[in-house]
Amino acid sequence: MTDHEQHLRQRLGSTRLNLTRLTLGAVSGLLAGFASLAVAELVSAAVRPQAGPIVAVGGAAIDRTPAAVKDWAIRHFGTNDKLFLQLGILAVLALFALFLGCVALRFRRAGAAGVLLFGAVGAVAATSRPDSTGLSDALPSVAGALVGAAVLYVLVGRLTPRAPATEPAASPPETPPPGAGWDRRGFVLAATAAAAASAGAGALGRTLNGSSGRDAVASRNDLTLPRPASAAPAVPKGAQLRIPGVSPFTTPNGDFYRVDTALVVPKVDATTWKLRIHGTGVRRPLTLTFDDLLRRELIERDITLTCVSNEVGGPYVGNARWIGVRLADLLAECGVRPPSKGGPADQLVARSVDGMTIGSPVDDVMDGRDALLAIGMNGEPLPFTHGFPVRMVVPGLYGFVSACKWIKDIELTTFDSYDPYWVKRGWARRAPIKTESRIDTPKPFARPKTGTVMVAGVAWAQHRGIDKVEVRVDDGPWQRARLAAEDTRDTWRQWSLPWQATKGGHTLTVRATDRTGELQTEKRTHTIPDGASGWHSVVVTVD
Ligand SMILES: Nc1nc2c(c(=O)[nH]1)N[C@H]1C(S)=C(S)[C@@H](COP(=O)(O)O)O[C@H]1N2
Ligand SMILES: [Mo]
């Protein structure tokens, strides 16, 4: 073997060795990251599920996400937006873990310190969340980081050559197989142990977190909704058209859209729940328990909810039968007068247990409409995802300015002196729901056969009511659709039009007129700041 060959073989061997070490370093980083998250998960089960680093950092990210991006995420990922956010955070963490693992090969302490730095970020995020309950929220991140740093330090230690004896120059070229000089067996053992322990801790944490909020679940199971003093009349038979593809008049709870910033659904125990009503012009501040609410006069109403992030033709609108207490009565008992009657507060700010703030005009809440503190949804206690035990529902206002879920506090104030959560992020202070209509069937790009095709959908203009719906085929004349029976002015209304479909591509467009005589505007606007407008169109090809 020539010198040159020998040199090459050595080089090859050490490159392979370097690659192996690099890979194993990266693996160590990943394992350290995994151990951190697993331990954090386990400790968060002892503290609060919301104190876990992913939830805390995710929550902080949600709060700092520009309104446009958040709106985009809601529109594209819908209720899965939070899943994608968490997967995104995990991906970023994995990249950093890989990087730290490689750094640690060279600088063992620096790698471990890097893990601690991530723990610090998680701890700061957790303790500065609006729903944080104190310094204990830092524990999951801190414990996770300490364990993660230790795992990295130990694992990388096994990858470090034990003795300088295996200087390549001193040994014959045949001998150094990749990986020689370091504690291969020790590494495999330590890595396996770390992985197994982490998986166990993580799984245990998951299970414990999954069963957290047992008192809340029990309080919901134990709740039988009282019979409302003022029941909603039965939905008129004619309100539900018998046309396949039209959204059901009443949206089942399981299908009801969900939009909120909560990465972990708050589980509130109704037996310890309290609502405080206070603020400017509240002459008799009040704190209510759930039993206090149950003892009050309950009313039942059909109200259609709409999200401001709903694009023209979008899915974030649903109709339910709510049971609750009239908010206006409660406010009047507290001595609140609306500004139209000389009261000093024009904004009602609702606060939730998860730190959300939602502001509504006091005049709207007290103008006689059925603004509710709702406890029931379609015959059952509110689902946890929809605000158990109590949420607000105000007919005619988008959810972000009215429908506070998991409510715990109502403060009377002014629009001038306080901007709630969404307003701070560029959304409007006042946002009545815009008159809108949607084609539910045929679906976009459907291929119906020539002949009679039923065009049908829903239209809404909560608290004003729908007076007329018209449909246009291509650039043809507007044709009046048949309106389903009206339930109330606070609910959406179905409509239909039989269309004699002819072969080829066609565009169907719908528009509604509300009971104030106002025609749904053709002008397209973004969802930000106060809701999308424009006409909904569907393109189909008739075969
Ligand atoms: N606590 C809390 N309440 C909230 C929100 C939220 O993020 N947190 N989002 C609001 C928005 S934007 C809407 S549209 C409605 C949606 O109610 P739903 O999820 O029951 O459909 O809840 C409102 N109430
Ligand atoms: Mo919303």
Side-chain angles (χ1 to χ4, degrees):
M1 196 181 300
T2 65
D3 263 11
H4 181 64
E5 272 176 345
Q6 195 170 324
H7 181 69
L8 258 180
R9 288 188 70 164
Q10 258 174 266
R11 282 284 299 271
L12 219 68
S14 70
T15 312
R16 255 201 287 166
L17 176 56
N18 280 342
L19 250 184
T20 312
R21 277 192 76 219
L22 211 57
T23 308
L24 294 179
V27 166
S28 306
L30 275 185
L31 279 174
F34 179 40
S36 298
L37 292 182
V39 168
E41 179 84 24
L42 183 60
V43 175
S44 78
V47 181
R48 290 175 339 119
Q50 286 88 341
I54 301 271
V55 176
V57 170
I62 289 176
D63 288 356
R64 281 162 187 76
T65 303
V69 178
K70 190 152 21 189
D71 198 48
W72 176 87
I74 290 173
R75 280 185 279 122
H76 290 266
F77 301 133
T79 300
N80 286 330
D81 55 348
K82 298 179 191 74
L83 178 66
F84 281 93
L85 174 69
Q86 279 166 301
L87 288 177
I89 292 174
L90 276 180
V92 171
L93 280 181
L95 284 180
F96 274 108
L98 290 171
F99 171 73
L100 284 178
C102 298
V103 168
L105 283 176
R106 237 332 188 0
F107 311 101
R108 192 138 74 111
R109 295 227 169 103
V115 177
L116 293 180
L117 202 67
F118 271 88
V121 171
V124 168
T127 47
S128 53
R129 299 301 302 139
D131 60 339
S132 168
T133 50
L135 274 182
S136 62
D137 284 346
L139 284 177
S141 296
V142 170
L146 286 173
V147 173
V151 166
L152 185 59
Y153 194 80
V154 168
L155 287 182
V156 170
R158 299 286 174 279
L159 294 176
T160 314
R162 273 177 297 188
T166 39
E167 260 306 297
S171 53
E174 293 79 31
T175 38
W182 52 273
D183 182 3
R184 181 193 273 259
R185 207 178 110 83
F187 178 82
V188 171
L189 278 179
T192 310
S198 304
L204 181 62
R206 281 255 121 158
T207 314
L208 292 175
N209 271 333
S211 64
S212 80
R214 239 171 309 161
D215 294 346
V217 174
S219 75
R220 187 172 182 276
N221 289 340
D222 291 347
L223 174 62
T224 315
L225 291 176
R227 190 178 287 280
S230 160
V235 174
K237 273 215 179 61
Q240 172 71 60
L241 297 175
R242 255 174 260 169
I243 298 172
V246 181
S247 316
F249 179 77
T250 301
T251 314
N253 288 354
D255 297 342
F256 209 95
Y257 80 90
R258 176 188 163 204
V259 169
D260 55 58
T261 58
L263 280 175
V264 172
V265 176
K267 297 261 176 75
V268 180
D269 180 352
T271 61
T272 56
W273 176 86
K274 281 194 175 69
L275 173 70
R276 189 171 158 231
I277 303 177
H278 62 111
T280 312
V282 183
R283 274 174 288 175
R284 291 175 291 281
L286 191 68
T287 300
L288 283 162
T289 66
F290 195 72
D291 276 336
D292 294 337
L293 269 193
L294 290 180
R295 276 193 289 270
R296 295 183 62 91
E297 185 179 295
L298 295 173
I299 65 173
E300 181 186 48
R301 295 292 183 265
D302 295 338
I303 299 166
T304 299
L305 222 64
T306 309
C307 180
V308 70
S309 295
N310 193 49
E311 276 190 295
V312 172
Y316 303 125
V317 50
N319 181 51
R321 180 157 280 207
W322 309 91
I323 292 180
V325 163
R326 279 184 60 97
L327 184 53
D329 295 350
L330 206 54
L331 293 173
E333 279 175 39
C334 296
V336 174
R337 275 174 304 135
S340 57
K341 301 235 169 71
D346 60 1
Q347 181 175 220
L348 179 154
V349 174
R351 275 193 185 77
S352 71
V353 299
D354 63 329
M356 174 54 59
T357 51
I358 287 184
S360 322
V362 177
D363 267 333
D364 289 351
V365 171
M366 299 187 80
D367 71 357
R369 72 182 80 192
D370 294 314
L372 298 181
L373 281 178
I375 60 169
M377 182 178 183
N378 291 329
E380 54 168 307
L382 289 179
F384 286 108
T385 45
H386 294 290
F388 181 84
V390 184
R391 75 174 303 169
M392 264 175 65
V393 177
V394 184
L397 304 182
Y398 284 116
F400 83 110
V401 288
S402 69
C404 187
K405 307 194 272 191
W406 314 292
I407 193 172
K408 67 160 191 192
D409 187 285
I410 288 178
E411 181 176 355
L412 277 292
T413 177
T414 61
F415 280 103
D416 279 345
S417 62
Y418 185 77
D419 282 340
Y421 185 92
W422 298 103
V423 176
K424 284 195 191 102
R425 289 160 177 79
W427 297 82
R429 289 197 171 80
R430 298 170 186 261
I433 296 173
K434 295 180 178 175
T435 300
E436 270 296 329
S437 49
R438 183 178 77 193
I439 299 171
D440 285 344
T441 181
K443 295 271 172 259
F445 312 115
R447 304 192 71 111
K449 299 260 170 296
T450 50
T452 309
V453 170
M454 267 300 178
V455 184
V458 285
W460 60 89
Q462 289 94 316
H463 208 55
R464 300 183 296 281
I466 289 292
D467 188 46
K468 185 165 75 173
V469 169
E470 299 161 291
V471 175
R472 184 177 69 180
V473 181
D474 302 321
D475 293 323
W478 287 101
Q479 307 175 52
R480 219 166 157 146
R482 180 169 78 94
L483 279 176
E486 181 175 66
D487 181 21
T488 75
R489 286 188 305 159
D490 296 338
T491 58
W492 59 9
R493 206 165 168 186
Q494 299 184 350
W495 56 266
S496 69
L497 182 83
W499 165 45
Q500 297 314 313
T502 55
K503 244 187 175 28
H506 295 288
T507 303
L508 305 166
T509 305
V510 66
R511 68 180 191 188
T513 304
D514 67 29
R515 287 202 182 282
T516 69
E518 182 118 340
L519 173 67
Q520 174 183 340
T521 176
E522 181 180 11
K523 194 173 162 257
R524 280 265 173 178
T525 59
H526 288 291
T527 53
I528 300 172
D530 64 354
S533 68
W535 294 340
H536 185 214
S537 286
V538 164
V539 174
V540 300
T541 306
V542 180
D543 287 326

